[in-house]
């Protein structure tokens, strides 16, 4: 059934369809609609779940840990400051191997205080061990969250599903809502083998020695590296049932492309238009959307950039003192494996619009070697006040 | 006749607590009263370290070790999860020290109490951050030595009134207890178990290591605290009904202070001030517990 809904509404619908059992959340713009909708689904009795209006985001993740460890499917949502406040708990929940799914509305971190779209919030959490997926539209949100639960419960690792603040959270689009019975067939109930239970007493999170610690972390890394394949598998299964594919990396106008514009999130829309425009100008351009960011989908990316000579990587974020985070990851993946040149651009920080013509301009700069985009190893900041 | 208290005995031998650890007794008594259908959530602190090194545990009930600030929040999630699964009979026991309750854990506890989360929350109070080396917390009494309130800078601030803070949330049950009075403690825990909502017990757990008393005096010190009115025993029902428990004959505070090295920095004047602090706090509680005429509010 098709409806016109915003990204945040799509997220709430996904959690409803996933039959989440415990929702613990704290309000923060621009995620608010998601938790408001969920409190309504629960209040009306449409969703059989507990809703905890917790007193902070740190507590929200703690409550999800308590719920998930005792065998319930848990969900929360947050953004920027709230995500940052959760930082300790992000490490904890991933280390605790808990299949929690969280929606993060990408928003700039203060100070100064800015509510608009920026990826530094989630990207600066990339080392916590959470699987990270970036949605390009509201359909990607509703489908992505369902795939996220499937993958999470298969690999026993939490998943962060990211929505561009305002561009995706607050834009209404046509979304095909999956039927509940079909979702149940794709995503059965959460029945973990291991849980904290009085019937079989055990400890969770105990003190342990260095030997055990290292071994458990190694196993976690192995499991994390296997997630690219796990995501591909579940996305393929999803596609066979619902007719929509959400791959780790998604290429557009890829045939014989010389240059690829690499983006995450809604900027893919502008990138596709830019690629079309460049093709009309005789430039063999394509757009490449990174959907799965953690684990970094290196295998998928290498395959997608075969034959491509230039990568123009857009970062709506920066790692201060280094460069754009996506550019860093792309370069790291390509090192010794691809001869494509990578040029990074920082744009869209704090909610400045990314436009198709802006991207076309970036591509021309990258190809001509003009401006600072010519010096490899540095991200070029597109919009800066003098 | 020696009466054996323990039917359940959910604390197995071999925990790694200090000799004379009051907190180990605390857990033993509380679990005796709650029984095996109990799920324990504990933050960083003495207990989460001496409960055992993976893969061993000293408790015969499940234990979740959670980050320091999160005890009541994690417990909230556990409660919601168990209720969702229809397992209302499982007791959620949130078990935190004074640091994890009065200080870093207070926000989560306040939130859980406001929501009336169905759990028993026991704060085992050894009056400092003992696990990390005896640093002061807001539960440390005034005039007391700790490693961050050394003899050159003894603690000035009074002990935070945690029970009253919990009472202000209107929770179903709040009480103080001492490991020196195990029957009173267990009766309170059994009473709490039979009630709904957020139930809070402030449990004084003497600590030879941090309080600098001899290891065989753990129970004596915990009794003197009550006898000297330093730690009165009382209960508050529904946030409004205050009940003073039968108290032993009153002794001057010097009989409490003299047993503990942590108070040897107090001069005679300081001990006098300590007596005043104790007397003022006692008068306040006594007044609240006294039935009052209609025109004179508590």
């Amino acid at each position: 059934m098709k409806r016109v809904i915003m990204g945040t509404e799509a997220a709430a619908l996904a959690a409803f369809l996933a039959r989440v059992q415990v929702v613990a959340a704290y309000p923060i713009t621009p995620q608010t609609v998601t938790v408001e909708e969920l409190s309504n689904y629960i209040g009306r009795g449409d969703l059989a779940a507990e809703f905890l209006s917790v007193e902070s985001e740190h507590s929200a993740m703690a409550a999800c840990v308590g719920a998930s460890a005792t065998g319930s499917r848990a969900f929360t949502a947050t953004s920027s400051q709230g995500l940052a406040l959760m930082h300790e708990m992000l490490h904890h929940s991933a280390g605790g191997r808990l299949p929690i799914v969280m929606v993060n509305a990408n928003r700039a971190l203060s100070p100064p205080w800015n509510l608009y779209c920026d990826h530094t919030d989630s990207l600066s959490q990339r080392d916590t061990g959470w699987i990270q997926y970036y949605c390009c539209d509201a359909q990607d949100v509703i489908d992505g969250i369902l795939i996220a639960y499937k993958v999470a419960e298969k690999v026993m690792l939490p998943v962060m599903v990211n929505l561009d603040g305002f561009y995706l959270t607050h834009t209404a689009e046509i979304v095909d809502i999956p039927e509940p019975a079909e979702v149940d067939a794709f995503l059965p109930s959460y029945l973990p083998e291991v849980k904290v239970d009085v019937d079989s007493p055990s400890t969770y999170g105990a003190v342990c020695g260095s030997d055990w610690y290292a071994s458990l972390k190694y196993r976690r890394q192995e499991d994390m590296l296997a997630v690219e394949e796990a995501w591909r598998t579940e996305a393929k299964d999803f596609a066979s049932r619902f007719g929509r594919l959400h791959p780790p990396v998604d290429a557009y106008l890829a045939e014989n492309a010389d240059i690829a514009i690499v983006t995450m999130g809604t900027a893919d829309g502008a990138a596709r238009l830019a690629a079309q425009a460049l093709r009309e100008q005789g430039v063999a351009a394509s757009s490449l959307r990174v959907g799965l960011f953690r684990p970094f989908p290196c295998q998928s990316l290498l395959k997608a950039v075969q034959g491509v000579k230039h990568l123009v990587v857009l970062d709506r974020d920066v790692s201060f003192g280094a460069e754009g985070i996506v550019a860093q990851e792309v370069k790291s993946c390509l090192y010794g494996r691809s001869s494509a040149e990578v040029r990074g651009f920082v744009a869209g920080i704090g909610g400045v619009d990314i436009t198709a013509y802006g991207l076309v301009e970036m591509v021309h700069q990258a190809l001509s070697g003009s401006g600072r985009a010519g010096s490899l190893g540095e991200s070029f900041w597109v919009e800066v006040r003098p | 006749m020696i009466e054996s208290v323990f039917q359940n005995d959910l604390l197995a031998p071999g925990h790694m607590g200090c000799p004379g650890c009051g907190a180990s007794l605390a857990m033993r008594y509380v679990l005796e009263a709650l029984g095996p259908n109990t799920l324990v959530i504990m933050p960083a602190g003495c207990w989460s370290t001496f409960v055992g090194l993976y893969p061993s545990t000293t408790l015969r009930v499940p234990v979740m070790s959670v980050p320091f600030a999160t005890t009541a929040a994690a417990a909230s999630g556990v409660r919601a999860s168990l209720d969702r699964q229809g397992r209302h009979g499982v007791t959620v026991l949130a078990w935190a020290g004074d640091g994890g309750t009065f200080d870093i854990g207070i926000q989560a506890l306040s939130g859980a109490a406001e929501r009336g989360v169905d759990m028993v929350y026991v704060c085992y109070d050894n009056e400092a951050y003992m696990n990390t080396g005896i640093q002061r917390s807001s539960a440390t009494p005034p005039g007391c030595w700790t490693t961050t309130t050394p003899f050159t800078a003894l603690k000035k601030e009074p002990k935070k009134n945690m029970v009253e803070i919990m009472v202000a949330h209107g929770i179903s049950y709040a009480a103080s207890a001492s490991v020196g009075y195990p029957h009173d403690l267990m009766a309170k825990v059994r009473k709490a178990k039979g009630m709904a909502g957020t139930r809070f017990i402030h449990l004084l757990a003497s600590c030879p290591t941090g309080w600098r008393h001899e290891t065989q005096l753990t129970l004596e010190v915990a009794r003197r605290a009550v006898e000297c009115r330093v730690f009165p025993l009382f209960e508050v029902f529904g946030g409004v009904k205050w009940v003073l428990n039968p108290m032993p004959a009153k002794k001057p505070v010097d009989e409490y202070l003299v047993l503990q090295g942590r108070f040897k920095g107090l001069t005679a004047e300081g001990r006098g001030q300590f007596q005043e602090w104790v007397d003022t706090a006692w008068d306040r509680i006594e007044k609240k517990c006294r039935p009052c005429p209609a025109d004179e509010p508590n």
Side-chain angles (χ1 to χ4, degrees):
Chain A
M1 179 194 42
K2 291 191 180 167
R3 282 174 56 193
V4 175
I5 54 174
M6 303 189 299
T8 40
E9 292 172 301
L13 265 171
F16 161 74
L17 289 166
R19 299 186 188 275
V20 300
Q21 295 165 292
V22 176
V23 177
Y26 191 84
I28 181 167
T29 306
Q31 144 272 43
T32 41
V33 172
T34 299
V35 293
E36 289 163 9
E37 290 282 290
L38 275 170
S39 69
N40 225 350
Y41 289 140
I42 293 167
R44 289 196 309 245
D46 293 341
L47 175 59
E50 306 289 313
F51 186 87
L52 301 176
S53 279
V54 286
E55 64 290 341
S56 83
E57 290 91 345
H58 189 269
S59 288
M61 191 49 66
C64 286
V65 164
S68 187
T70 48
S72 291
R73 187 171 281 159
F75 176 83
T76 188
T78 191
S79 174
S80 77
Q81 311 298 133
L83 186 67
L85 184 60
M86 272 185 195
H87 179 73
E88 173 191 37
M89 297 310 299
L90 297 183
H91 276 288
H92 179 96
S93 46
R97 304 302 301 261
L98 297 172
I100 298 162
V101 171
M102 166 166 66
V103 159
N104 179 62
N106 287 113
R107 168 187 134 174
L109 285 161
S110 66
W113 197 4
N114 175 307
L115 305 186
Y116 304 112
C117 181
D118 187 299
H119 290 169
T120 312
D121 62 348
S122 53
L123 289 178
S124 62
Q125 302 297 342
R126 67 195 187 279
D127 298 332
T128 57
W130 273 62
I131 297 165
Q132 287 198 23
Y133 184 72
Y134 288 75
C135 302
C136 59
D137 57 30
Q139 189 70 63
D140 203 15
V141 172
I142 201 169
D143 296 347
I145 289 170
L146 297 175
I147 296 169
Y149 269 113
K150 192 78 187 284
V151 172
E153 292 170 7
K154 187 169 155 190
V155 304
M156 295 306 276
L157 286 166
V159 183
M160 190 188 305
V161 178
N162 293 282
L163 279 62
D164 281 349
F166 294 101
Y167 296 115
L168 185 42
T169 59
H170 284 72
T171 303
E173 304 174 60
I174 302 168
V175 176
D176 196 344
I177 318 242
E179 289 302 313
E182 290 181 1
V183 174
D184 290 341
F186 170 71
L187 180 69
S189 299
Y190 176 52
L191 298 167
E193 276 175 49
V194 176
K195 60 178 178 174
V196 181
D197 193 336
V198 293
D199 292 342
S200 168
S202 60
T203 63
Y204 163 94
V207 179
C208 88
S210 307
D211 53 353
W212 274 111
Y213 183 86
S215 300
L216 287 164
K217 290 297 175 197
Y218 176 71
R219 195 180 307 173
R220 190 175 142 197
Q221 168 68 340
E222 294 268 286
D223 292 347
M224 193 59 170
L225 291 172
V227 167
E228 188 184 341
E229 187 54 39
W231 187 279
R232 259 206 296 267
T233 303
E234 298 307 331
K236 218 166 135 196
D237 181 26
F238 188 91
S240 72
R241 296 166 190 267
F242 299 98
R244 296 182 293 272
L245 189 65
H246 300 276
V249 163
D250 197 14
Y252 175 76
L253 290 186
E255 203 175 317
N256 297 321
D258 281 340
I259 184 160
I261 305 167
V262 182
T263 63
M264 286 208 312
T266 58
D268 180 52
R272 290 184 177 213
L273 291 173
Q276 277 174 16
L278 286 160
R279 287 271 182 180
E280 280 157 28
Q281 293 172 17
V283 178
S286 67
S287 76
L288 199 58
R289 184 174 72 85
V290 174
L292 188 71
F293 175 82
R294 266 296 179 272
F296 194 73
C298 198
Q299 272 184 31
S300 308
L301 184 70
L302 285 170
K303 204 162 155 206
V305 303
Q306 268 171 20
V308 174
K309 300 193 193 67
H310 301 274
L311 294 180
V312 170
V313 181
L314 184 78
D315 268 289
R316 293 194 99 130
D317 63 275
V318 73
S319 178
F320 291 101
E323 54 179 320
I325 291 167
V326 182
Q328 272 189 331
E329 299 272 343
V330 168
K331 287 179 189 179
S332 177
C333 168
L334 264 46
Y335 182 73
R337 300 191 193 99
S338 162
S339 55
E341 286 187 359
V342 180
R343 280 178 178 78
F345 290 83
V346 170
I349 291 278
V352 179
D353 286 344
I354 306 270
T355 59
Y357 60 80
L359 287 171
V360 169
E361 196 40 51
M362 281 181 229
V363 168
H364 283 303
Q365 273 196 30
L367 290 176
S368 71
S370 65
R372 282 168 62 197
S375 42
L376 299 173
E378 227 184 291
S379 285
F380 179 68
W381 286 62
V382 174
E383 319 100 348
V384 172
R385 282 178 183 272
Chain B
M1 188 187 106
I2 296 173
E3 195 186 310
S4 174
V5 179
F6 300 105
Q7 308 283 323
N8 288 309
D9 215 357
L10 296 163
L11 177 63
H15 71 76
M16 305 192 305
C18 303
C21 172
S24 63
L25 297 172
M27 176 69 87
R28 198 171 183 207
Y29 294 132
V30 170
L31 285 181
E32 173 62 26
L34 289 179
N37 213 22
T38 303
L39 199 157
V40 186
I41 295 112
M42 56 171 72
C46 288
W47 248 100
S48 58
T49 41
F50 74 69
V51 69
L53 199 64
Y54 178 82
S56 303
T57 174
T58 196
L59 289 179
R60 302 195 210 272
V61 289
V63 179
M64 280 190 72
S65 289
V66 296
F68 209 174
T70 66
T71 310
S76 300
V78 170
R79 177 81 274 156
S81 171
L82 292 172
D83 286 350
R84 207 17 61 193
Q85 295 165 23
R87 305 178 69 186
H88 308 287
V90 176
T91 301
V92 170
L93 174 63
W95 181 267
D98 52 287
T101 301
F102 286 52
D103 296 342
I104 195 170
I106 201 172
Q107 184 180 289
L109 176 53
S110 176
E114 183 268 326
R115 295 189 302 274
V117 172
D118 201 48
M119 64 173 175
V120 176
Y121 187 111
V122 175
C123 172
Y124 67 98
D125 184 5
N126 50 28
E127 301 191 322
Y129 289 91
M130 293 307 185
N131 185 46
T132 44
I134 323 169
Q135 294 87 18
R136 81 66 121 193
S137 76
S138 63
T140 305
C144 181
W145 167 91
T146 65
T147 55
T148 49
T149 56
F151 288 117
T152 49
L154 295 172
K155 189 177 189 256
K156 290 187 288 293
E157 302 82 6
K159 185 183 176 86
K160 187 184 275 188
N161 195 333
M162 199 62 212
V163 175
E164 223 173 308
I165 288 169
M166 295 314 295
V167 165
H169 287 71
I171 58 174
S172 56
Y173 184 72
S176 62
S178 164
V179 294
Y181 293 93
H183 292 284
D184 173 74
L185 166 61
M186 287 190 288
K188 283 168 173 165
V189 174
R190 286 186 184 109
K191 191 184 296 185
K193 186 185 178 194
M195 300 173 77
T198 305
R199 294 142 280 157
F200 178 82
I201 295 176
H202 180 202
L203 176 51
L204 188 69
S206 33
C207 168
T209 309
W211 295 14
R212 306 312 216 202
H213 64 73
E214 291 172 45
T215 55
Q216 75 276 17
L217 293 182
T218 302
L219 290 175
E220 183 58 31
V221 170
R223 283 182 199 131
R224 293 267 181 106
V226 175
E227 290 167 329
C228 300
R229 306 294 188 263
V230 175
F231 200 86
L233 298 180
F234 62 99
E235 300 164 278
V236 187
F237 297 86
V240 292
K241 185 173 169 218
W242 291 66
V243 175
L244 196 57
N245 300 130
M247 294 284 289
K250 185 181 175 188
K251 291 181 175 163
V253 290
D254 281 352
E255 296 200 28
Y256 175 66
L257 302 174
V258 74
L259 293 177
Q260 305 167 65
R262 64 176 175 153
F263 289 116
K264 73 175 189 226
L266 284 174
T267 57
E269 194 194 341
R271 287 194 297 277
Q273 283 171 350
F274 198 96
Q275 183 69 68
E276 270 175 43
W277 169 64
V278 167
D279 290 342
T280 307
W282 169 255
D283 287 343
R284 183 186 168 78
I285 290 172
E286 213 198 9
K287 192 165 173 228
K288 281 186 177 297
C289 296
R290 210 189 314 145
C292 62
D295 60 354
E296 200 189 294
N298 272 13

